Amino acid sequence: MHTLLNQFLKPNGLYFLNHSMGCLNKNQESVKEQYFNTWKNYGGKSWNEWLPYLDIFHKKLAEITFSKPIHFCFQGNNSLALLKIIQTIPKDKKRKKIIISDLEYPSMQFIFNFLPKEYYDLTLIKSKNGRTEKEQWLEKIDDNTLLLFVSHVTYGNSFKHPIDEIAKKCKELDVISILDLAQSIGIIPINLGKSNFDFAIGSCVKWLCGGTGAGFIWSNENVLRKIQPTAFGWFGMENIFAENINEFKLSTNTKQFMDGTPCILPLMLAVESIKLLSEIGIENILLKNQEYISNLYDFIEKNTEFKILSPKNNEERGGTFVFTTPNDEKFLNYLNQEKVFVDKKNNFGIRFSPHIYNTWEEINKFKEIVENFKF
């Protein structure tokens, strides 16, 4: 394990921004050189070396989510993935309701807010004290519901939604359901093979340490019979090299959500990071993460000037610890000066996210820095 953890290259200081971007590893550095050397030496023939990474990417994602590679489709980011899914869902005059909560990441809410009102009726579940209750979701899901979107773990305070019960009710009433894994994949063990969700979207930039530009759509095989694809690209075809407009055959699996030529370098980088994290084990990553957070929770709880926003129960908590202070901006500036990598989100607080490559020495150093601060 020690040898594996030494592969990660952390910025100088105390790095706890893994909810935003995970750290690079040494294998990824070599892959970068491999990509450019292939391009330099083979030019247009480089595709023979590059294209297999698309299948490898899907395979590695499937391995850590107990699913199958054919259920995955590479995407550039979550917003694009969500838009593609929405565009394939047939409009229904009797079913116009879309359900989301006010805890979703703003870029996801933007998409839903700007959907045409003549076809969609947005229902917003209001959170209380940074959480929603299972009953709030279940009572809103009915025969008029077209679509439900929910994050596995919220970005603002790391609250884990009760996703199993939500997905089960959606399946019972034939409601299309989408799960956002942005803040959970790579830190929370996920079994998509047994999931009742129709779709899941996510990216590799955060806990998966894959860098920018490598995201995905996952789909349950049954939902593909219900949708009507409206946007097509040659990589979404059954045979991408057919080049015959008279034989336009869309892929029958999740690959149909592919568009044009994919960005290869993000794929290659993400593959290397998923390989390494898979070898370490997502369960081991979560275990260490929760040990760190529980320790910090107890420490921060003793300071009456601080207010903790993340759930105390680790069964309800993701990989991020969030708290506020009497003056978050002043405190954040102080942490920046001390080379502590954390951040703050509006309407929430200071976000602190330890990964498997963080150490107890770093945790204790952070606590020492906090103790030395005076408001």
Side-chain angles (χ1 to χ4, degrees), residues 73-75 81 84-86 88 199 217 219 223-224 227 229 231 235-236 250-251 253-259:
C73 175
F74 171 75
Q75 298 292 302
K84 286 184 179 181
I85 293 171
I86 292 174
T88 68
F199 294 100
I217 291 174
S219 74
V223 75
L224 297 182
I227 62 175
F235 268 77
L250 193 66
S251 173
N253 58 41
T254 315
K255 177 187 168 186
Q256 64 187 250
F257 287 98
M258 286 287 290
D259 39 58

PDB file of all heavy atoms in Angstrom, residues 73-75 81 84-86 88 199 217 219 223-224 227 229 231 235-236 250-251 253-259:
ATOM      1  N   CYS A  73     -20.465   5.170 -21.451  1.00  0.00           N
ATOM      2  CA  CYS A  73     -20.162   5.961 -22.648  1.00  0.00           C
ATOM      3  C   CYS A  73     -19.369   7.197 -22.230  1.00  0.00           C
ATOM      4  O   CYS A  73     -19.820   7.984 -21.387  1.00  0.00           O
ATOM      5  CB  CYS A  73     -21.458   6.374 -23.339  1.00  0.00           C
ATOM      6  SG  CYS A  73     -21.210   7.462 -24.751  1.00  0.00           S
ATOM      7  N   PHE A  74     -18.199   7.346 -22.795  1.00  0.00           N
ATOM      8  CA  PHE A  74     -17.331   8.489 -22.503  1.00  0.00           C
ATOM      9  C   PHE A  74     -18.010   9.809 -22.846  1.00  0.00           C
ATOM     10  O   PHE A  74     -18.651   9.944 -23.889  1.00  0.00           O
ATOM     11  CB  PHE A  74     -16.033   8.361 -23.306  1.00  0.00           C
ATOM     12  CG  PHE A  74     -15.145   9.571 -23.248  1.00  0.00           C
ATOM     13  CD1 PHE A  74     -14.394   9.851 -22.122  1.00  0.00           C
ATOM     14  CD2 PHE A  74     -15.060  10.438 -24.333  1.00  0.00           C
ATOM     15  CE1 PHE A  74     -13.577  10.967 -22.066  1.00  0.00           C
ATOM     16  CE2 PHE A  74     -14.240  11.554 -24.293  1.00  0.00           C
ATOM     17  CZ  PHE A  74     -13.494  11.819 -23.159  1.00  0.00           C
ATOM     18  N   GLN A  75     -17.857  10.802 -21.939  1.00  0.00           N
ATOM     19  CA  GLN A  75     -18.376  12.156 -22.152  1.00  0.00           C
ATOM     20  C   GLN A  75     -17.347  13.168 -21.675  1.00  0.00           C
ATOM     21  O   GLN A  75     -16.497  12.852 -20.833  1.00  0.00           O
ATOM     22  CB  GLN A  75     -19.683  12.362 -21.392  1.00  0.00           C
ATOM     23  CG  GLN A  75     -20.813  11.473 -21.818  1.00  0.00           C
ATOM     24  CD  GLN A  75     -21.313  11.775 -23.213  1.00  0.00           C
ATOM     25  OE1 GLN A  75     -21.724  12.897 -23.511  1.00  0.00           O
ATOM     26  NE2 GLN A  75     -21.261  10.782 -24.092  1.00  0.00           N
ATOM     27  N   ALA A  81     -23.337  15.524 -20.584  1.00  0.00           N
ATOM     28  CA  ALA A  81     -23.970  14.223 -20.394  1.00  0.00           C
ATOM     29  C   ALA A  81     -25.444  14.382 -20.044  1.00  0.00           C
ATOM     30  O   ALA A  81     -26.312  13.689 -20.606  1.00  0.00           O
ATOM     31  CB  ALA A  81     -23.236  13.450 -19.302  1.00  0.00           C
ATOM     32  N   LYS A  84     -27.582  15.554 -23.058  1.00  0.00           N
ATOM     33  CA  LYS A  84     -27.804  14.475 -24.024  1.00  0.00           C
ATOM     34  C   LYS A  84     -28.918  13.541 -23.567  1.00  0.00           C
ATOM     35  O   LYS A  84     -29.757  13.117 -24.369  1.00  0.00           O
ATOM     36  CB  LYS A  84     -26.516  13.684 -24.239  1.00  0.00           C
ATOM     37  CG  LYS A  84     -25.475  14.398 -25.075  1.00  0.00           C
ATOM     38  CD  LYS A  84     -24.278  13.474 -25.296  1.00  0.00           C
ATOM     39  CE  LYS A  84     -23.220  14.118 -26.155  1.00  0.00           C
ATOM     40  NZ  LYS A  84     -22.072  13.231 -26.397  1.00  0.00           N
ATOM     41  N   ILE A  85     -28.915  13.213 -22.287  1.00  0.00           N
ATOM     42  CA  ILE A  85     -29.947  12.314 -21.772  1.00  0.00           C
ATOM     43  C   ILE A  85     -31.328  12.958 -21.881  1.00  0.00           C
ATOM     44  O   ILE A  85     -32.288  12.336 -22.359  1.00  0.00           O
ATOM     45  CB  ILE A  85     -29.650  11.934 -20.308  1.00  0.00           C
ATOM     46  CG1 ILE A  85     -28.381  11.081 -20.226  1.00  0.00           C
ATOM     47  CG2 ILE A  85     -30.829  11.163 -19.710  1.00  0.00           C
ATOM     48  CD1 ILE A  85     -27.890  10.829 -18.803  1.00  0.00           C
ATOM     49  N   ILE A  86     -31.445  14.206 -21.438  1.00  0.00           N
ATOM     50  CA  ILE A  86     -32.741  14.892 -21.479  1.00  0.00           C
ATOM     51  C   ILE A  86     -33.285  14.942 -22.901  1.00  0.00           C
ATOM     52  O   ILE A  86     -34.487  14.736 -23.131  1.00  0.00           O
ATOM     53  CB  ILE A  86     -32.611  16.307 -20.890  1.00  0.00           C
ATOM     54  CG1 ILE A  86     -32.324  16.235 -19.389  1.00  0.00           C
ATOM     55  CG2 ILE A  86     -33.882  17.113 -21.140  1.00  0.00           C
ATOM     56  CD1 ILE A  86     -32.033  17.576 -18.752  1.00  0.00           C
ATOM     57  N   THR A  88     -33.052  12.886 -25.215  1.00  0.00           N
ATOM     58  CA  THR A  88     -33.522  11.599 -25.739  1.00  0.00           C
ATOM     59  C   THR A  88     -34.850  11.161 -25.130  1.00  0.00           C
ATOM     60  O   THR A  88     -35.469  10.222 -25.628  1.00  0.00           O
ATOM     61  CB  THR A  88     -32.494  10.480 -25.453  1.00  0.00           C
ATOM     62  OG1 THR A  88     -32.433  10.226 -24.048  1.00  0.00           O
ATOM     63  CG2 THR A  88     -31.119  10.843 -25.969  1.00  0.00           C
ATOM     64  N   PHE A 199     -30.169   6.075 -15.423  1.00  0.00           N
ATOM     65  CA  PHE A 199     -28.915   6.673 -15.874  1.00  0.00           C
ATOM     66  C   PHE A 199     -28.078   7.109 -14.678  1.00  0.00           C
ATOM     67  O   PHE A 199     -28.598   7.380 -13.595  1.00  0.00           O
ATOM     68  CB  PHE A 199     -29.169   7.915 -16.747  1.00  0.00           C
ATOM     69  CG  PHE A 199     -29.840   7.651 -18.050  1.00  0.00           C
ATOM     70  CD1 PHE A 199     -31.201   7.866 -18.209  1.00  0.00           C
ATOM     71  CD2 PHE A 199     -29.103   7.190 -19.134  1.00  0.00           C
ATOM     72  CE1 PHE A 199     -31.827   7.633 -19.426  1.00  0.00           C
ATOM     73  CE2 PHE A 199     -29.715   6.945 -20.362  1.00  0.00           C
ATOM     74  CZ  PHE A 199     -31.079   7.171 -20.498  1.00  0.00           C
ATOM     75  N   ILE A 217     -21.479   8.675 -19.196  1.00  0.00           N
ATOM     76  CA  ILE A 217     -22.879   8.317 -18.988  1.00  0.00           C
ATOM     77  C   ILE A 217     -22.918   6.817 -18.750  1.00  0.00           C
ATOM     78  O   ILE A 217     -22.265   6.054 -19.462  1.00  0.00           O
ATOM     79  CB  ILE A 217     -23.758   8.646 -20.216  1.00  0.00           C
ATOM     80  CG1 ILE A 217     -23.897  10.152 -20.402  1.00  0.00           C
ATOM     81  CG2 ILE A 217     -25.141   8.002 -20.090  1.00  0.00           C
ATOM     82  CD1 ILE A 217     -24.629  10.543 -21.681  1.00  0.00           C
ATOM     83  N   SER A 219     -25.888   3.766 -18.403  1.00  0.00           N
ATOM     84  CA  SER A 219     -27.323   3.535 -18.560  1.00  0.00           C
ATOM     85  C   SER A 219     -27.678   2.101 -18.237  1.00  0.00           C
ATOM     86  O   SER A 219     -26.910   1.167 -18.522  1.00  0.00           O
ATOM     87  CB  SER A 219     -27.782   3.885 -19.977  1.00  0.00           C
ATOM     88  OG  SER A 219     -27.349   2.902 -20.897  1.00  0.00           O
ATOM     89  N   VAL A 223     -33.565   0.970 -20.110  1.00  0.00           N
ATOM     90  CA  VAL A 223     -34.042   2.317 -20.424  1.00  0.00           C
ATOM     91  C   VAL A 223     -33.809   2.682 -21.885  1.00  0.00           C
ATOM     92  O   VAL A 223     -34.501   3.537 -22.441  1.00  0.00           O
ATOM     93  CB  VAL A 223     -33.368   3.364 -19.501  1.00  0.00           C
ATOM     94  CG1 VAL A 223     -31.923   3.622 -19.914  1.00  0.00           C
ATOM     95  CG2 VAL A 223     -34.156   4.668 -19.496  1.00  0.00           C
ATOM     96  N   LEU A 224     -32.851   2.052 -22.543  1.00  0.00           N
ATOM     97  CA  LEU A 224     -32.546   2.401 -23.930  1.00  0.00           C
ATOM     98  C   LEU A 224     -33.711   2.110 -24.861  1.00  0.00           C
ATOM     99  O   LEU A 224     -33.795   2.673 -25.956  1.00  0.00           O
ATOM    100  CB  LEU A 224     -31.292   1.662 -24.397  1.00  0.00           C
ATOM    101  CG  LEU A 224     -30.000   2.002 -23.634  1.00  0.00           C
ATOM    102  CD1 LEU A 224     -28.824   1.240 -24.218  1.00  0.00           C
ATOM    103  CD2 LEU A 224     -29.730   3.497 -23.653  1.00  0.00           C
ATOM    104  N   ILE A 227     -36.085   5.500 -24.886  1.00  0.00           N
ATOM    105  CA  ILE A 227     -35.617   6.819 -25.320  1.00  0.00           C
ATOM    106  C   ILE A 227     -35.551   6.931 -26.842  1.00  0.00           C
ATOM    107  O   ILE A 227     -35.598   5.927 -27.558  1.00  0.00           O
ATOM    108  CB  ILE A 227     -34.235   7.139 -24.714  1.00  0.00           C
ATOM    109  CG1 ILE A 227     -33.188   6.129 -25.190  1.00  0.00           C
ATOM    110  CG2 ILE A 227     -34.320   7.163 -23.194  1.00  0.00           C
ATOM    111  CD1 ILE A 227     -31.787   6.445 -24.735  1.00  0.00           C
ATOM    112  N   PRO A 229     -33.032   8.860 -29.322  1.00  0.00           N
ATOM    113  CA  PRO A 229     -31.858   9.713 -29.558  1.00  0.00           C
ATOM    114  C   PRO A 229     -32.121  10.755 -30.635  1.00  0.00           C
ATOM    115  O   PRO A 229     -32.734  10.466 -31.674  1.00  0.00           O
ATOM    116  CB  PRO A 229     -30.794   8.705 -30.003  1.00  0.00           C
ATOM    117  CG  PRO A 229     -31.224   7.415 -29.392  1.00  0.00           C
ATOM    118  CD  PRO A 229     -32.722   7.431 -29.440  1.00  0.00           C
ATOM    119  N   ALA A 231     -29.508  13.436 -31.135  1.00  0.00           N
ATOM    120  CA  ALA A 231     -28.208  13.996 -31.535  1.00  0.00           C
ATOM    121  C   ALA A 231     -27.263  12.839 -31.844  1.00  0.00           C
ATOM    122  O   ALA A 231     -27.141  11.898 -31.063  1.00  0.00           O
ATOM    123  CB  ALA A 231     -27.638  14.864 -30.425  1.00  0.00           C
ATOM    124  N   PHE A 235     -19.057   8.435 -33.681  1.00  0.00           N
ATOM    125  CA  PHE A 235     -18.616   7.482 -32.665  1.00  0.00           C
ATOM    126  C   PHE A 235     -19.792   6.815 -31.945  1.00  0.00           C
ATOM    127  O   PHE A 235     -19.590   5.887 -31.160  1.00  0.00           O
ATOM    128  CB  PHE A 235     -17.683   8.155 -31.658  1.00  0.00           C
ATOM    129  CG  PHE A 235     -16.231   8.042 -32.030  1.00  0.00           C
ATOM    130  CD1 PHE A 235     -15.692   8.845 -33.024  1.00  0.00           C
ATOM    131  CD2 PHE A 235     -15.409   7.120 -31.414  1.00  0.00           C
ATOM    132  CE1 PHE A 235     -14.358   8.745 -33.382  1.00  0.00           C
ATOM    133  CE2 PHE A 235     -14.072   7.007 -31.756  1.00  0.00           C
ATOM    134  CZ  PHE A 235     -13.542   7.812 -32.750  1.00  0.00           C
ATOM    135  N   GLY A 236     -20.996   7.288 -32.215  1.00  0.00           N
ATOM    136  CA  GLY A 236     -22.181   6.660 -31.650  1.00  0.00           C
ATOM    137  C   GLY A 236     -22.808   5.630 -32.569  1.00  0.00           C
ATOM    138  O   GLY A 236     -23.835   5.032 -32.243  1.00  0.00           O
ATOM    139  N   LEU A 250     -27.394   3.296 -35.579  1.00  0.00           N
ATOM    140  CA  LEU A 250     -26.952   3.764 -34.274  1.00  0.00           C
ATOM    141  C   LEU A 250     -26.618   2.564 -33.386  1.00  0.00           C
ATOM    142  O   LEU A 250     -27.237   1.509 -33.486  1.00  0.00           O
ATOM    143  CB  LEU A 250     -28.065   4.590 -33.627  1.00  0.00           C
ATOM    144  CG  LEU A 250     -27.722   5.438 -32.406  1.00  0.00           C
ATOM    145  CD1 LEU A 250     -26.758   6.546 -32.774  1.00  0.00           C
ATOM    146  CD2 LEU A 250     -29.004   6.035 -31.804  1.00  0.00           C
ATOM    147  N   SER A 251     -25.628   2.731 -32.534  1.00  0.00           N
ATOM    148  CA  SER A 251     -25.285   1.669 -31.598  1.00  0.00           C
ATOM    149  C   SER A 251     -26.495   1.331 -30.729  1.00  0.00           C
ATOM    150  O   SER A 251     -27.300   2.199 -30.386  1.00  0.00           O
ATOM    151  CB  SER A 251     -24.118   2.111 -30.703  1.00  0.00           C
ATOM    152  OG  SER A 251     -23.879   1.174 -29.686  1.00  0.00           O
ATOM    153  N   ASN A 253     -26.248   0.034 -27.673  1.00  0.00           N
ATOM    154  CA  ASN A 253     -25.941   0.160 -26.252  1.00  0.00           C
ATOM    155  C   ASN A 253     -25.662   1.623 -25.893  1.00  0.00           C
ATOM    156  O   ASN A 253     -25.927   2.527 -26.696  1.00  0.00           O
ATOM    157  CB  ASN A 253     -24.780  -0.762 -25.855  1.00  0.00           C
ATOM    158  CG  ASN A 253     -23.510  -0.492 -26.648  1.00  0.00           C
ATOM    159  OD1 ASN A 253     -23.163   0.666 -26.894  1.00  0.00           O
ATOM    160  ND2 ASN A 253     -22.806  -1.536 -27.048  1.00  0.00           N
ATOM    161  N   THR A 254     -25.109   1.872 -24.737  1.00  0.00           N
ATOM    162  CA  THR A 254     -24.904   3.243 -24.250  1.00  0.00           C
ATOM    163  C   THR A 254     -23.954   4.035 -25.134  1.00  0.00           C
ATOM    164  O   THR A 254     -23.945   5.273 -25.094  1.00  0.00           O
ATOM    165  CB  THR A 254     -24.378   3.209 -22.798  1.00  0.00           C
ATOM    166  OG1 THR A 254     -25.144   2.274 -22.047  1.00  0.00           O
ATOM    167  CG2 THR A 254     -24.496   4.573 -22.142  1.00  0.00           C
ATOM    168  N   LYS A 255     -23.194   3.345 -25.944  1.00  0.00           N
ATOM    169  CA  LYS A 255     -22.277   4.007 -26.883  1.00  0.00           C
ATOM    170  C   LYS A 255     -23.009   4.996 -27.788  1.00  0.00           C
ATOM    171  O   LYS A 255     -22.393   5.923 -28.337  1.00  0.00           O
ATOM    172  CB  LYS A 255     -21.576   2.933 -27.713  1.00  0.00           C
ATOM    173  CG  LYS A 255     -20.647   3.441 -28.784  1.00  0.00           C
ATOM    174  CD  LYS A 255     -20.144   2.278 -29.636  1.00  0.00           C
ATOM    175  CE  LYS A 255     -19.445   2.767 -30.889  1.00  0.00           C
ATOM    176  NZ  LYS A 255     -19.077   1.654 -31.788  1.00  0.00           N
ATOM    177  N   GLN A 256     -24.315   4.841 -27.942  1.00  0.00           N
ATOM    178  CA  GLN A 256     -25.086   5.724 -28.817  1.00  0.00           C
ATOM    179  C   GLN A 256     -25.033   7.186 -28.361  1.00  0.00           C
ATOM    180  O   GLN A 256     -25.340   8.092 -29.134  1.00  0.00           O
ATOM    181  CB  GLN A 256     -26.538   5.273 -28.916  1.00  0.00           C
ATOM    182  CG  GLN A 256     -27.319   5.335 -27.629  1.00  0.00           C
ATOM    183  CD  GLN A 256     -28.700   4.720 -27.755  1.00  0.00           C
ATOM    184  OE1 GLN A 256     -29.706   5.436 -27.731  1.00  0.00           O
ATOM    185  NE2 GLN A 256     -28.766   3.401 -27.902  1.00  0.00           N
ATOM    186  N   PHE A 257     -24.617   7.443 -27.124  1.00  0.00           N
ATOM    187  CA  PHE A 257     -24.499   8.815 -26.628  1.00  0.00           C
ATOM    188  C   PHE A 257     -23.163   9.469 -27.004  1.00  0.00           C
ATOM    189  O   PHE A 257     -22.944  10.640 -26.700  1.00  0.00           O
ATOM    190  CB  PHE A 257     -24.659   8.849 -25.109  1.00  0.00           C
ATOM    191  CG  PHE A 257     -26.068   8.633 -24.644  1.00  0.00           C
ATOM    192  CD1 PHE A 257     -26.492   7.388 -24.230  1.00  0.00           C
ATOM    193  CD2 PHE A 257     -26.977   9.680 -24.647  1.00  0.00           C
ATOM    194  CE1 PHE A 257     -27.786   7.176 -23.794  1.00  0.00           C
ATOM    195  CE2 PHE A 257     -28.284   9.486 -24.224  1.00  0.00           C
ATOM    196  CZ  PHE A 257     -28.689   8.226 -23.796  1.00  0.00           C
ATOM    197  N   MET A 258     -22.287   8.710 -27.642  1.00  0.00           N
ATOM    198  CA  MET A 258     -21.044   9.309 -28.137  1.00  0.00           C
ATOM    199  C   MET A 258     -21.364  10.295 -29.253  1.00  0.00           C
ATOM    200  O   MET A 258     -22.355  10.148 -29.969  1.00  0.00           O
ATOM    201  CB  MET A 258     -20.103   8.225 -28.668  1.00  0.00           C
ATOM    202  CG  MET A 258     -19.437   7.387 -27.613  1.00  0.00           C
ATOM    203  SD  MET A 258     -18.135   8.248 -26.724  1.00  0.00           S
ATOM    204  CE  MET A 258     -16.885   8.387 -27.999  1.00  0.00           C
ATOM    205  N   ASP A 259     -20.504  11.296 -29.421  1.00  0.00           N
ATOM    206  CA  ASP A 259     -20.716  12.240 -30.518  1.00  0.00           C
ATOM    207  C   ASP A 259     -19.567  12.137 -31.508  1.00  0.00           C
ATOM    208  O   ASP A 259     -19.384  11.126 -32.162  1.00  0.00           O
ATOM    209  CB  ASP A 259     -20.916  13.662 -29.989  1.00  0.00           C
ATOM    210  CG  ASP A 259     -20.010  13.980 -28.819  1.00  0.00           C
ATOM    211  OD1 ASP A 259     -18.786  13.882 -28.970  1.00  0.00           O
ATOM    212  OD2 ASP A 259     -20.533  14.342 -27.748  1.00  0.00           O
TER     213      ASP A 259
END
